[in-house]
Amino acid sequence: MTATHPTHGAQAPSAKREWAGGLTVFAAVTLMLVGVLDIFRGIMGIAEDDVFVTTQNYVFKFDLTAWGWTHLVLGAIAVLVGLGLGRGALWARVSGVVIAGLVVIANFLSLPYYPVWSVVMIAFSGFVIWALCVGGRSRT
């Protein structure tokens, strides 16, 4: 009798490819989510900057309207890069890591204005960076 079970060597490349593809989809969806949420945060900062808590003695003190524009632009770019990731573009993978890193920095600098939201956005962006760096390039 012959064995009908495939060997592990035959499954490994396919499983790795599926894992990498899954991480890329995860990164694309999460980056688009981060982008949309950052767009909303930017709109809040532009339209109603009194929604945010202001601190008197913060080293990185910024004008909240300008800060809103920063988040709006980063969010729009993040959505576009997320769409590129969905199409499997290599430029989007590299840009995704860069944009997610910039989102982390922007949210770190705005911690005193909206602390819980900033921590959540930093965590989402960290997952995006992880998924893009670990996933590797998927080839179909």
Side-chain angles (χ1 to χ4, degrees), residues 99-109 118 121-126 129:
I99 290 299
L102 290 174
V103 169
V104 167
I105 292 169
N107 281 287
F108 173 77
L109 292 175
S118 295
M121 295 297 282
I122 289 170
F124 275 155
S125 299
I129 293 170

Side-chain angles (χ1 to χ4, degrees), residues 6-116:
T7 62
H8 292 297
Q11 286 182 343
S14 177
K16 285 182 181 178
R17 190 173 17 245
E18 288 179 20
W19 177 254
L23 282 177
T24 302
V25 170
F26 170 79
V29 170
T30 306
L31 189 61
M32 284 190 286
L33 178 66
V34 164
V36 168
L37 294 175
D38 232 11
I39 288 171
F40 289 149
R41 185 176 187 177
I43 291 170
M44 285 183 346
I46 295 166
E48 291 289 328
D49 61 359
D50 60 349
V51 170
F52 297 97
V53 176
T54 57
T55 58
Q56 305 241 341
N57 298 322
Y58 183 51
V59 175
F60 303 111
K61 191 171 185 175
F62 299 104
D63 176 40
L64 291 178
T65 304
W67 205 236
W69 281 106
T70 302
H71 281 284
L72 183 70
V73 169
L74 277 175
I77 293 171
V79 169
L80 293 174
V81 171
L83 291 171
L85 279 171
R87 299 191 50 94
L90 180 61
W91 66 266
R93 179 174 294 281
V94 174
S95 300
V97 172
V98 171
I99 290 299
L102 290 174
V103 169
V104 167
I105 292 169
N107 281 287
F108 173 77
L109 292 175
S110 65
L111 266 169
Y113 303 117
Y114 221 67
V116 174

